[in-house]
Amino acid sequence: MHEISLVQGLFQQLAELARQNNMTKVVTVTMEIGPLSGVVEDSFRFGFDILSKEDELLRDAELIINSTSVIYRCTSCNTAHESGNQRPDCCTQCGDSFLIAEGGDELILQKVEME
Amino acid sequence: MCDSCGCASPVEEDTHTKTVDVNESLFAANESIAKTNREHFEKMGAVAINLISSPGSGKTTLLEHTIEAIGAEFRIGVIEGDIETERDADRIRAKGVPVVQLTTGGACHLDAAMTHKGFHRLQKEPGGDKLDLLFIENVGNLVCPTSFDLGEHYRIVLVSVPEGPDKPVKYPKAFTSSDTFLITKIDLLEHFDFPVDEAKAEALHLNPRLQIFDFSSKTGENFDAWLDYLRELVANFKK
């Protein structure tokens, strides 16, 4: 459950952003989370919901999560396979089973709407 | 004119929301400290290794036997991460090398900030200010530690024979984010169903760049290959 500590870090960042912009309420928080980030979306959302209830600034904030995809690139023929979270068993072009993941490890705070 | 802030908007309209584009990784703060850690380690001339595994895979036993074997060749230091107790640090201290114990008090992983504090404490221990090899033994957990760069040069994941061969498939990130994979406790192979070659192939399927070793710290079987690998890491680093 390292998601909780990541949400705590996020809330510190949001408090700082609100202070810099003289805002008192966070309305929406938009995150981008990749399937290889090591973060379970449901756990992140759970942490967000629990901790935002205790936080004046974030009490009614909505969390929007955009999922990203991963590119699995073949080490033999360089073919790129785009995938949600399922790693292809082998390359669809040459059949090689050694594929290297590119991207998909994002855990990004994209934007914050405040009032 | 709006009576809240004096802007030109009519008061009826809600124009007081503001959207800020941030586009920053939540790992950015950790990564920035990790970078500083790496600079500290390099200034000292130490290769830093982050050891990740489930509880009970033999991380501390690996360190005890490694120190016994090459403690005279290299200056070794250890940062121990556990949720509670000084037990692991006591075991390492008994081998005569500088060690600090970090107790996370419930947290399931080490992060770069904890490692930073631990490193400065280690520097104050006798012999801790000049090291060739720094081992950071993470909290026993194959999930959470994989998301946190500590500033290590090499990440090494361990799986022991009694745990079974399917850990790479079940916990892929531990293997895709690591440089090296150690299969430990091979002295127990006769008692467990652990096809070593299959486990190696599955791990390589996830991460073709993995270096893989299988050995027993206890009996010493194949242990020399691991020691030679460490010698090579230190030699490459000093170049």
Side-chain angles (χ1 to χ4, degrees):
Chain A
M1 278 299 279
H2 60 300
E3 284 83 358
I4 295 279
S5 45
L6 291 167
V7 172
Q8 285 170 330
L10 168 66
F11 281 14
Q12 282 173 14
Q13 195 175 352
L14 293 174
E16 182 60 25
L17 279 170
R19 198 188 57 76
Q20 285 167 3
N21 291 282
N22 290 320
M23 297 279 153
T24 55
K25 204 89 194 137
V26 172
V27 186
T28 57
V29 178
T30 309
M31 296 285 307
E32 185 176 62
I33 302 186
L36 304 183
S37 62
V39 169
V40 179
E41 276 187 27
D42 285 349
S43 302
F44 193 85
R45 195 175 282 285
F46 174 76
F48 189 95
D49 290 347
I50 294 291
L51 294 175
S52 61
K53 284 199 180 74
E54 300 170 357
D55 194 312
E56 188 56 37
L57 177 72
L58 284 136
R59 189 155 293 147
D60 302 307
E62 184 194 357
L63 172 65
I64 298 169
I65 296 179
N66 296 320
S67 305
T68 62
S69 58
V70 191
I71 304 285
Y72 288 99
R73 194 175 290 283
C74 176
T75 51
S76 294
C77 72
N78 215 30
T79 302
H81 309 73
E82 194 171 333
S83 173
N85 57 9
Q86 196 64 38
R87 164 182 281 269
D89 274 340
C90 57
C91 176
T92 52
Q93 287 300 312
C94 73
D96 195 309
S97 62
F98 294 135
L99 307 173
I100 288 182
E102 294 173 5
D105 56 353
E106 303 82 6
L107 179 66
I108 293 171
L109 170 60
Q110 291 182 305
K111 57 184 176 185
V112 189
E113 187 188 0
M114 297 175 283
E115 61 179 34
Chain B
M1 191 169 81
C2 166
D3 56 11
S4 298
C5 65
C7 75
S9 312
V11 80
E12 299 78 31
E13 283 181 33
D14 179 17
T15 53
H16 294 285
T17 64
K18 179 173 182 179
T19 300
V20 181
D21 287 319
V22 186
N23 286 319
E24 194 176 272
S25 170
L26 290 201
F27 295 121
N30 186 72
E31 274 159 16
S32 139
I33 302 170
K35 186 167 169 276
T36 310
N37 289 352
R38 200 156 12 246
E39 285 162 9
H40 282 334
F41 303 152
E42 281 164 13
K43 198 171 163 200
M44 182 191 260
V47 182
I49 293 173
N50 180 3
L51 292 174
I52 292 179
S53 82
S54 329
S57 297
K59 294 186 292 298
T60 313
T61 305
L62 169 75
L63 290 180
E64 287 175 316
H65 288 270
T66 302
I67 294 163
E68 272 174 21
I70 56 169
E73 258 172 83
F74 302 117
R75 292 163 293 191
I76 300 176
V78 180
I79 296 174
E80 281 286 343
D82 272 303
I83 290 177
E84 292 290 348
T85 82
E86 282 269 335
R87 285 186 187 190
D88 281 359
D90 290 342
R91 284 171 60 185
I92 299 298
R93 198 170 288 121
K95 299 291 167 194
V97 302
V99 58
V100 293
Q101 178 79 50
L102 300 176
T103 47
T104 62
C108 47
H109 58 273
L110 293 180
D111 62 26
M114 290 184 229
T115 306
H116 189 94
K117 281 188 203 148
F119 180 68
H120 286 316
R121 274 176 50 205
L122 186 68
Q123 284 178 300
K124 292 185 191 129
E125 293 285 314
D129 56 338
K130 197 83 191 81
L131 300 171
D132 303 305
L133 264 173
L134 169 65
F135 289 101
I136 306 162
E137 183 182 332
N138 220 308
V139 179
N141 178 337
L142 270 181
V143 186
C144 311
T146 64
S147 294
F148 296 86
D149 183 3
L150 307 180
E152 72 266 22
H153 298 101
Y154 298 93
R155 183 175 291 186
I156 298 186
V157 59
L158 289 77
V159 172
S160 65
V161 165
E163 291 172 68
D166 52 3
K167 289 287 181 292
V169 200
K170 285 184 175 168
Y171 301 90
K173 197 172 183 204
F175 297 83
T176 54
S177 71
S178 287
D179 303 284
T180 316
F181 170 28
L182 308 181
I183 299 171
T184 61
K185 308 190 190 178
I186 59 164
D187 51 305
L188 298 176
L189 275 173
E190 58 179 307
H191 306 289
F192 291 88
D193 186 16
F194 192 108
V196 174
D197 290 339
E198 221 170 276
K200 286 182 180 177
E202 281 186 339
L204 281 176
H205 177 58
L206 288 169
N207 180 357
R209 285 181 285 232
L210 268 184
Q211 294 235 39
I212 308 180
F213 299 91
D214 57 294
F215 56 76
S216 165
S217 302
K218 192 176 156 192
T219 66
E221 188 181 352
N222 290 356
F223 202 63
D224 283 345
W226 156 249
L227 298 175
D228 284 341
Y229 174 66
L230 287 176
R231 290 184 180 107
E232 193 187 305
L233 294 187
V234 175
N236 288 341
F237 191 76
K238 303 275 179 198
K239 268 181 198 165

